[in-house]
Amino acid sequence: VRRSVGQRAEEDGQTEQAEALEEEWSNDIYERAEKLKSLGNMEFLRGRYREATEAYSKAIECVGEEVDWQEASSSGGSMAVYRSNRAACWLKRKQWAKA
């Protein structure tokens, strides 16, 4: 059985610490994703579309499916932006089906 950090800590009576750890973990994910997006943006501007595609894909993978996207959007991260930027790269690379 897989339990979140919060569930384990609650059982130990350490809910506040668990919440702080989860928030830090989430912020780290968003920060990493935003750095990858910035890298993708730089590569896109240089015309290095394959590298930009990889950076945006890593940002998407970094955040993954487990994240609350309303929270992510308020923190500056946005799956829609990462996916749109990646689609723009695919268009530049003439990979229409992927876009």
Side-chain angles (χ1 to χ4, degrees):
V1 174
R2 186 174 174 194
R3 299 178 311 193
S4 73
V5 172
Q7 289 169 325
R8 288 191 304 265
E10 190 172 2
E11 293 171 2
D12 296 333
Q14 300 173 356
T15 305
E16 287 180 24
Q17 281 183 319
E19 288 173 358
L21 285 173
E22 284 183 350
E23 183 175 330
E24 182 180 325
W25 178 76
S26 294
N27 290 337
D28 288 345
I29 287 174
Y30 303 139
E31 186 176 317
R32 178 167 158 65
E34 285 297 300
K35 286 180 180 178
L36 287 163
K37 181 187 83 170
S38 294
L39 174 63
N41 291 347
M42 288 189 308
E43 296 294 359
F44 188 91
L45 290 173
R46 292 180 182 144
R48 297 176 52 158
Y49 304 119
R50 184 177 51 83
E51 291 82 356
T53 303
E54 290 173 9
Y56 297 133
S57 293
K58 286 179 183 177
I60 292 165
E61 290 172 14
C62 177
V63 179
E65 298 297 324
E66 297 180 20
V67 172
D68 176 352
W69 279 104
Q70 278 188 316
E71 181 183 327
S73 293
S74 67
S75 300
S78 173
M79 183 67 89
V81 172
Y82 306 149
R83 289 183 186 272
S84 296
N85 289 359
R86 184 174 65 177
C89 291
W90 282 330
L91 290 173
K92 289 287 192 177
R93 295 170 64 193
K94 298 180 182 178
Q95 294 183 349
W96 318 121
K98 289 184 177 183

